[in-house]
Amino acid sequence: MDLENQRRVLEFANEYGPENVVVLLGAAEGEASGLAAETVTAGDPTYAGPLTGVSLGLTVYHVCEPEVKAEFDPEVYEDQVGMMEMVLDVDDIVSEMSSIRDEYCKYLG
């Protein structure tokens, strides 16, 4: 996650409260999604950005996870994500995201 997005996430968490912020990711690989998810939950693991040492514990999902996909109008999802989803390793992404949520998320319902 780039430094500008880290700054924005931190601002939103401070403004609205971390319990009211959900981060939705769309990275094409499980590892990249996991790194971004870890950044907004446990803090920047690269020690380079505004979230270094900041454990926000935010709720984080990937757009291809079944519980998120179910929230979209199916036609909109297919139009916006469907093509990409066909080439992604969705199982790997779901596994990575679930692991991060289980370990670091503080605000799951």
Side-chain angles (χ1 to χ4, degrees), residues 4 11 18 26 36 45 48 53 57 62 68 70 75-76 83 85-86 88 102:
E4 177 62 20
E11 285 178 0
H62 191 280
V68 174
E75 289 181 27
V76 172
M83 243 348 194
E85 185 182 37
M86 291 185 338
L88 297 178
D102 290 345

Side-chain angles (χ1 to χ4, degrees), residues 71-85:
E71 296 297 319
F72 286 94
D73 176 297
E75 289 181 27
V76 172
Y77 186 90
E78 183 59 36
D79 183 52
Q80 298 296 317
V81 183
M83 243 348 194
M84 193 63 193
E85 185 182 37

